[in-house]
Amino acid sequence: MSKMHVEVVSTEQLIYSGDAEFLVAPALEGEIGVYPRHVPLLTRIKPGILRLKVPGSKDEVLVAVSGGMLEVQPTHITVLADTAIRGEDLDEARANEAKRAAEESLQHATDDLSTAKAHAALASAIAQLKALDYLKKRVH
């Protein structure tokens, strides 16, 4: 089976570095699927779930991303995410609280900077909740 190297990096840390047989990412125009030897591509990603099919594993690696950039080369993919959290590190109560706090911050924002920060926090919380919802559906 053919494979490609994938790196997922957030502004804070390296989230994933390893091989994958297939990747699904939330591009702005819709989900994009990438197999090894894909044509080069550079696109923005929106809040959502990054899914990786890892060689030798029946489970996918899930990463909640709040936006960023996706660069595809024939044998290498780089995801530069604003915020990224691995699926196993997600906490529903924390994500719901973060969403509530971001919505409240958005209502009380008084300038462009505080509005932008609130939107970024809201996007991150929504991405986490989408990933948790996907995990729940996959289990059942």
Side-chain angles (χ1 to χ4, degrees), residues 50-94:
L50 191 71
R51 299 186 338 244
L52 299 159
K53 173 67 177 108
V54 178
S57 175
K58 66 179 181 92
D59 293 329
E60 296 174 314
V61 172
L62 298 180
V63 179
V65 293
S66 64
M69 296 296 294
L70 169 72
E71 179 190 17
V72 177
Q73 293 297 325
T75 61
H76 190 87
I77 295 176
T78 304
V79 179
L80 301 174
D82 299 329
T83 305
I85 301 172
R86 286 187 70 128
E88 62 264 15
D89 296 334
L90 294 172
D91 179 307
E92 188 169 12
R94 199 172 351 147

Coordinates of all heavy atoms in Angstrom, one line a residue, residues 50-94:
L50 N -9.8 16.7 10.9 CA -8.8 16.1 10.0 C -8.7 14.7 10.4 O -8.6 14.3 11.5 CB -7.4 16.8 10.4 CG -6.3 16.6 9.4 CD1 -6.5 17.3 8.2 CD2 -5.0 17.1 10.1
R51 N -8.9 13.8 9.4 CA -8.9 12.3 9.6 C -7.7 11.7 8.8 O -7.5 12.0 7.6 CB -10.2 11.7 9.1 CG -11.4 12.3 9.9 CD -12.7 11.6 9.5 NE -12.8 10.9 8.3 CZ -13.7 11.3 7.3 NH1 -14.5 12.3 7.4 NH2 -13.7 10.6 6.2
L52 N -7.0 10.9 9.5 CA -5.8 10.2 8.9 C -6.0 8.7 9.0 O -6.2 8.2 10.1 CB -4.5 10.6 9.6 CG -4.2 12.0 9.6 CD1 -3.2 12.3 10.7 CD2 -3.6 12.4 8.3
K53 N -5.8 8.0 7.9 CA -5.8 6.5 7.9 C -4.3 6.1 7.9 O -3.5 6.4 7.0 CB -6.5 6.0 6.6 CG -6.3 4.5 6.4 CD -7.1 3.7 7.4 CE -7.0 2.2 7.2 NZ -6.2 1.5 8.1
V54 N -4.0 5.5 9.1 CA -2.6 5.2 9.3 C -2.3 3.7 8.9 O -3.1 2.9 9.2 CB -2.3 5.4 10.9 CG1 -0.9 5.0 11.2 CG2 -2.5 6.8 11.3
P55 N -1.2 3.5 8.2 CA -0.9 2.1 7.8 C -0.8 1.2 9.0 O -0.3 1.5 10.1 CB 0.5 2.2 7.2 CG 0.7 3.7 6.8 CD -0.1 4.4 7.8
G56 N -1.4 0.0 8.9 CA -1.4 -1.0 9.9 C -2.4 -0.8 11.0 O -2.3 -1.5 12.0
S57 N -3.3 0.2 10.9 CA -4.2 0.5 12.0 C -5.6 0.5 11.4 O -5.8 1.1 10.3 CB -3.9 1.8 12.7 OG -4.9 2.1 13.6
K58 N -6.6 -0.1 12.1 CA -8.0 0.0 11.6 C -8.6 1.3 12.0 O -9.6 1.7 11.4 CB -8.8 -1.2 12.0 CG -9.0 -1.3 13.5 CD -9.9 -2.5 13.8 CE -10.2 -2.6 15.3 NZ -11.4 -1.9 15.7
D59 N -8.1 1.9 13.0 CA -8.7 3.2 13.5 C -8.0 4.4 12.8 O -6.9 4.3 12.4 CB -8.4 3.3 15.0 CG -9.3 2.3 15.8 OD1 -10.3 1.9 15.4 OD2 -8.8 1.9 16.9
E60 N -8.8 5.4 12.7 CA -8.3 6.7 12.1 C -7.7 7.5 13.3 O -8.1 7.4 14.4 CB -9.4 7.5 11.5 CG -10.1 6.9 10.3 CD -11.3 7.7 9.9 OE1 -12.1 8.1 10.7 OE2 -11.4 7.9 8.7
V61 N -6.7 8.4 12.9 CA -6.2 9.4 13.8 C -7.1 10.6 13.5 O -7.2 11.1 12.3 CB -4.7 9.7 13.6 CG1 -4.3 10.9 14.4 CG2 -3.9 8.5 13.9
L62 N -7.7 11.2 14.5 CA -8.6 12.4 14.4 C -7.9 13.6 15.0 O -7.3 13.4 16.1 CB -9.9 12.2 15.0 CG -10.8 11.0 14.5 CD1 -12.1 11.0 15.2 CD2 -11.1 11.2 13.0
V63 N -8.0 14.7 14.4 CA -7.5 15.9 14.9 C -8.5 17.0 14.7 O -8.9 17.2 13.5 CB -6.1 16.3 14.2 CG1 -5.6 17.6 14.8 CG2 -5.1 15.2 14.4
A64 N -8.9 17.7 15.7 CA -9.8 18.8 15.6 C -9.0 20.1 15.3 O -8.0 20.4 16.0 CB -10.6 19.1 16.8
V65 N -9.3 20.7 14.1 CA -8.6 21.9 13.8 C -9.5 23.1 13.7 O -10.7 23.0 13.3 CB -7.8 21.8 12.4 CG1 -6.7 20.7 12.5 CG2 -8.8 21.4 11.3
S66 N -9.0 24.3 14.0 CA -9.9 25.5 14.0 C -9.6 26.3 12.8 O -10.2 27.4 12.7 CB -9.6 26.3 15.3 OG -8.3 26.8 15.3
G67 N -8.9 25.8 11.9 CA -8.5 26.6 10.6 C -7.1 26.5 10.4 O -6.3 26.0 11.2
G68 N -6.6 27.0 9.2 CA -5.2 27.0 8.9 C -5.0 26.8 7.4 O -5.8 27.2 6.6
M69 N -3.8 26.2 7.1 CA -3.4 25.9 5.8 C -3.1 24.4 5.6 O -2.5 23.8 6.5 CB -2.2 26.8 5.4 CG -2.4 28.3 5.4 SD -3.6 28.8 4.2 CE -2.8 28.5 2.7
L70 N -3.3 23.9 4.4 CA -3.0 22.6 4.0 C -2.1 22.6 2.8 O -2.5 23.2 1.8 CB -4.2 21.8 3.7 CG -4.0 20.4 3.1 CD1 -3.5 19.4 4.1 CD2 -5.4 19.9 2.6
E71 N -0.9 22.1 2.9 CA 0.0 22.0 1.7 C 0.2 20.5 1.3 O 0.5 19.7 2.2 CB 1.4 22.6 2.0 CG 2.3 22.4 0.8 CD 3.7 22.8 1.1 OE1 4.1 22.8 2.2 OE2 4.5 23.0 0.1
V72 N -0.2 20.2 0.1 CA 0.0 18.8 -0.4 C 1.1 18.7 -1.4 O 1.1 19.5 -2.4 CB -1.4 18.3 -1.0 CG1 -1.2 16.9 -1.6 CG2 -2.5 18.4 0.0
Q73 N 2.0 17.8 -1.2 CA 3.0 17.5 -2.2 C 2.8 16.0 -2.5 O 2.2 15.3 -1.7 CB 4.4 17.8 -1.6 CG 4.7 19.2 -1.4 CD 4.7 20.0 -2.7 OE1 5.1 19.5 -3.8 NE2 4.2 21.3 -2.7
P74 N 3.3 15.4 -3.5 CA 3.1 14.0 -3.9 C 3.4 13.0 -2.8 O 2.7 12.0 -2.6 CB 4.0 13.8 -5.1 CG 4.1 15.1 -5.8 CD 4.1 16.1 -4.6
T75 N 4.4 13.3 -2.0 CA 4.8 12.3 -0.9 C 4.7 12.9 0.5 O 5.1 12.2 1.5 CB 6.2 11.7 -1.1 OG1 7.1 12.8 -1.1 CG2 6.3 11.0 -2.5
H76 N 4.3 14.2 0.6 CA 4.4 14.8 1.9 C 3.2 15.8 2.0 O 2.9 16.5 1.1 CB 5.7 15.6 2.0 CG 5.9 16.2 3.4 ND1 6.6 15.4 4.4 CD2 5.6 17.4 3.9 CE1 6.6 16.2 5.5 NE2 6.1 17.4 5.2
I77 N 2.5 15.8 3.2 CA 1.5 16.8 3.5 C 1.8 17.5 4.8 O 2.2 16.9 5.8 CB 0.1 16.1 3.7 CG1 -0.3 15.4 2.4 CG2 -1.0 17.0 4.2 CD1 -1.6 14.6 2.5
T78 N 1.6 18.8 4.7 CA 1.8 19.6 5.9 C 0.5 20.4 6.2 O 0.0 21.0 5.4 CB 3.0 20.7 5.7 OG1 4.2 20.0 5.4 CG2 3.2 21.5 7.0
V79 N 0.1 20.3 7.5 CA -1.1 21.0 7.9 C -0.6 22.0 9.0 O 0.0 21.6 10.0 CB -2.2 20.1 8.5 CG1 -3.3 20.9 9.0 CG2 -2.6 19.1 7.5
L80 N -0.8 23.3 8.7 CA -0.4 24.3 9.7 C -1.8 24.8 10.2 O -2.5 25.6 9.6 CB 0.3 25.5 9.0 CG 1.6 25.1 8.3 CD1 2.2 26.3 7.5 CD2 2.6 24.6 9.3
A81 N -2.1 24.4 11.4 CA -3.4 24.7 12.0 C -3.2 25.8 13.1 O -2.2 25.9 13.8 CB -3.9 23.5 12.7
D82 N -4.3 26.7 13.1 CA -4.3 27.7 14.1 C -4.3 27.1 15.5 O -3.5 27.4 16.3 CB -5.5 28.6 13.9 CG -5.6 29.3 12.6 OD1 -4.5 29.6 12.0 OD2 -6.7 29.5 12.1
T83 N -5.2 26.2 15.7 CA -5.3 25.4 16.9 C -5.6 23.9 16.5 O -6.5 23.7 15.6 CB -6.5 25.9 17.8 OG1 -6.3 27.3 18.1 CG2 -6.5 25.1 19.1
A84 N -5.0 23.0 17.1 CA -5.3 21.6 16.8 C -5.2 20.7 18.1 O -4.3 21.0 18.9 CB -4.2 21.1 15.8
I85 N -6.1 19.8 18.2 CA -6.2 18.9 19.3 C -6.5 17.5 18.8 O -7.4 17.3 18.1 CB -7.3 19.3 20.3 CG1 -7.0 20.8 20.8 CG2 -7.4 18.4 21.5 CD1 -8.2 21.3 21.6
R86 N -5.7 16.6 19.3 CA -5.9 15.2 18.9 C -7.2 14.7 19.5 O -7.6 15.1 20.5 CB -4.7 14.3 19.4 CG -3.5 14.5 18.5 CD -2.4 13.5 18.9 NE -2.8 12.2 18.5 CZ -2.0 11.4 17.8 NH1 -0.8 11.8 17.4 NH2 -2.4 10.2 17.5
G87 N -7.8 13.7 18.8 CA -9.1 13.2 19.2 C -9.2 12.7 20.6 O -10.1 12.9 21.3
E88 N -8.1 11.9 21.0 CA -8.1 11.4 22.3 C -8.0 12.4 23.4 O -8.2 12.1 24.6 CB -7.1 10.2 22.5 CG -5.7 10.7 22.3 CD -5.1 10.5 20.8 OE1 -5.9 10.3 19.9 OE2 -3.9 10.6 20.7
D89 N -7.6 13.6 23.1 CA -7.4 14.7 24.1 C -8.6 15.6 24.2 O -8.6 16.5 25.0 CB -6.2 15.5 23.7 CG -4.9 14.8 23.8 OD1 -4.8 13.7 24.5 OD2 -3.9 15.1 23.1
L90 N -9.7 15.3 23.5 CA -10.9 16.1 23.5 C -11.7 15.8 24.8 O -11.8 14.7 25.2 CB -11.7 15.9 22.3 CG -11.1 16.3 20.9 CD1 -11.9 15.8 19.8 CD2 -10.9 17.8 20.9
D91 N -12.3 16.9 25.3 CA -13.2 16.8 26.5 C -14.4 17.6 26.2 O -14.4 18.8 25.9 CB -12.4 17.4 27.7 CG -13.3 17.3 28.9 OD1 -14.4 17.8 28.9 OD2 -12.7 16.8 29.9
E92 N -15.6 16.9 26.1 CA -16.8 17.5 25.7 C -17.2 18.7 26.7 O -17.7 19.7 26.2 CB -18.0 16.5 25.7 CG -19.2 17.1 25.1 CD -20.3 16.0 24.7 OE1 -20.1 14.9 25.2 OE2 -21.2 16.4 24.0
A93 N -17.1 18.5 28.0 CA -17.5 19.5 28.9 C -16.6 20.7 28.7 O -17.1 21.9 28.7 CB -17.4 19.0 30.3
R94 N -15.3 20.5 28.6 CA -14.4 21.7 28.3 C -14.7 22.4 27.0 O -14.7 23.6 27.0 CB -13.0 21.1 28.4 CG -12.0 22.2 28.6 CD -10.6 21.7 28.8 NE -10.5 20.3 28.9 CZ -9.4 19.6 28.5 NH1 -8.4 20.1 27.9 NH2 -9.4 18.3 28.7

